[in-house]
Amino acid sequence: MAAVTRKFTMTQKFHRRSRRQPYPVRTITTRSQGMASGCFFERLPAEVFDMVLDRLSVLEISVFSMVSKAINRYIVNHISTQTWRNRMILQKLQHCSSPSSPPPKEDPATLGHYKALGLLFKRCTLLLPTKDRLKFIYSKFSQVPCFMMEQCTASTGCPFFSSYGVFLQTLIAGWDELECHRVFNFLCDFTNLPRKIELVVTGKPGACQRLELQIRGFCRQVLLEPWSSRRDTLFWLTRILQSWPMVSQARLLFILYGPRLPDGSLGWQEQLGAGVAQCSLWDLAKAVILLHSDLEARDWTTDTILAILEELTVLPQAWHVESVARLLILCGNSLCYSILASKALNGRLFEISRLLVYLILVCEKDGYCMNWSVRMVQQVCQVFLSPSDRWSFIQSVENMFSEVTMEMYEVVMAGNRHEDMETFQSLLNASAHFHTEIVYMFLKKD
């Protein structure tokens, strides 16, 4: 009887549970669904909405553009008006209107404004394909004369390039490599950059002085210098150089990073003499180091860099050996040794000996440790496999010391220049310090 009662009770409980009502389904009502008649700003008259936008900063408008698609569309129409472009793009730009006036210094406020503009256009065009985004942005900036380069009136430097570089860097920050390729191709098409580069790399150096400086300013200030990452800078420098043959790459590197004269023009003839300053070659050396730092070696191998250096040091004519030596020291141990070892393997004893003597001279004049040159000679000596070849190499270096010393002595006796006498004294001191280091090294081993 108890079993029957328990069975009936369990059945009754089961039926009671089955008769329980299911939980109601919870639904979420979004804000846009709750406002059937549209948001508050969409109900405002257009004139009032324009007044609201005019009172907002560029950065605030960029944040506001992400509220909804409708507001985004309205803001796009607002920033497309001629009035807004004149006020926020053209008037904010400190443009050098006179070709003879010096370029103004970079204004932090102007750079900050164009950074905010980059963020605004980045957010306004977020839903568009890359090609459409670029076309929209170009249509808004095409009225700036410097955007097309040939309309720029600045002769030695354009203040717009830095502002545009900050704008572009902010706009494409975070884009993948394929999109950045499209950006570069777009800029090449609308600024006619490849044609301009072709004119300067195929013509006589210095013949198109103004165009050389425009290319230098545009490429460095717009494409290269805004990036804090060396990898990003290497990407853009590779895009600029890669499509040209090696001779043109060398000339283009000099246009971009070569030394400039006090009047602002490129110092094509400066390296033909021995008095080139160390600081004037530093930018060029940093560019070569950057290309050589590509660890993946997809675009720039050591052999490629060496070939470019060989072409670079004969522009527009063969450089003075002291200028070559100074550039190699600035390029670092690895590249300097690679150049010397390459000449040694090819049996160019005269060239390598003369270059080593001037490397030792530059170490003395520029205050480098003489022990560095001694170690470099040791490393090059190891390239020669047989004792006879090493002996010939050592003899060639010592004979070159005597030959260069006599050349400088004759120059000093023929003229009355204080610089020649200082160089001659530096060479004598360099020889003494170099051989002192060698003797000390052998004595220390014993």
Side-chain angles (χ1 to χ4, degrees), residues 200-263:
V200 296
V201 298
T202 56
K204 185 179 179 181
C208 303
Q209 216 173 84
R210 184 169 174 270
L211 187 56
E212 288 175 350
L213 294 176
Q214 281 188 339
I215 292 172
R216 178 189 178 105
F218 182 83
C219 291
R220 286 187 62 164
Q221 295 174 257
V222 177
L223 300 177
L224 299 171
E225 292 178 354
W227 302 98
S228 57
S229 168
R230 288 171 56 89
R231 184 175 180 180
D232 291 330
T233 306
L234 176 61
F235 170 82
W236 291 102
L237 184 57
T238 301
R239 301 285 76 74
I240 295 171
L241 298 175
Q242 199 173 35
S243 60
W244 300 99
M246 199 166 294
V247 178
S248 299
Q249 288 177 350
R251 184 176 289 195
L252 189 51
L253 266 180
F254 191 92
I255 291 172
L256 296 179
Y257 293 103
R260 295 178 65 175
L261 299 177
D263 64 355

Side-chain angles (χ1 to χ4, degrees), residues 258-425:
R260 295 178 65 175
L261 299 177
D263 64 355
S265 60
L266 288 175
W268 287 102
Q269 307 294 327
E270 289 296 292
Q271 289 64 241
L272 305 186
V276 59
Q278 177 185 2
C279 58
S280 63
L281 293 174
W282 181 228
D283 283 350
L284 196 58
K286 286 194 293 186
V288 174
I289 293 171
L290 179 65
L291 295 177
H292 192 242
S293 66
D294 187 3
L295 300 179
E296 299 178 359
R298 294 180 301 174
D299 303 306
W300 307 104
T301 63
T302 300
D303 291 339
T304 304
I305 301 299
L306 296 184
I308 290 177
L309 278 173
E310 291 283 354
E311 296 290 344
L312 188 62
T313 52
V314 294
L315 287 174
Q317 301 172 21
W319 288 14
H320 193 283
V321 187
E322 184 178 329
S323 299
V324 178
R326 186 165 279 113
L327 176 63
L328 290 181
I329 290 178
L330 292 174
C331 286
N333 294 349
S334 176
L335 277 174
C336 185
Y337 169 75
S338 298
I339 285 282
L340 295 171
S342 175
K343 294 181 183 294
L345 290 173
N346 292 321
R348 296 154 67 177
L349 274 183
F350 178 84
E351 291 183 36
I352 190 176
S353 301
R354 195 170 183 83
L355 187 53
L356 279 170
V357 169
Y358 276 95
L359 283 170
I360 296 167
L361 174 61
V362 171
C363 285
E364 177 68 25
K365 292 178 73 172
D366 293 353
Y368 295 108
C369 181
M370 193 58 70
N371 186 48
W372 176 87
S373 61
V374 173
R375 293 185 180 278
M376 186 60 66
V377 171
Q378 279 185 299
Q379 292 177 13
V380 175
C381 193
Q382 298 301 319
V383 176
F384 300 96
L385 300 179
S386 65
S388 60
D389 290 340
R390 292 179 182 177
W391 175 246
S392 299
F393 166 68
I394 295 172
Q395 277 188 319
S396 178
V397 173
E398 294 300 324
N399 292 336
M400 188 58 65
F401 257 117
S402 301
E403 185 176 331
V404 173
T405 303
M406 289 303 299
E407 289 176 2
M408 289 192 178
Y409 176 74
E410 292 174 359
V411 171
V412 171
M413 296 303 294
N416 193 20
R417 294 181 56 191
H418 181 66
E419 295 84 358
D420 295 334
M421 178 58 74
E422 284 187 342
T423 301
F424 181 65
Q425 292 175 348

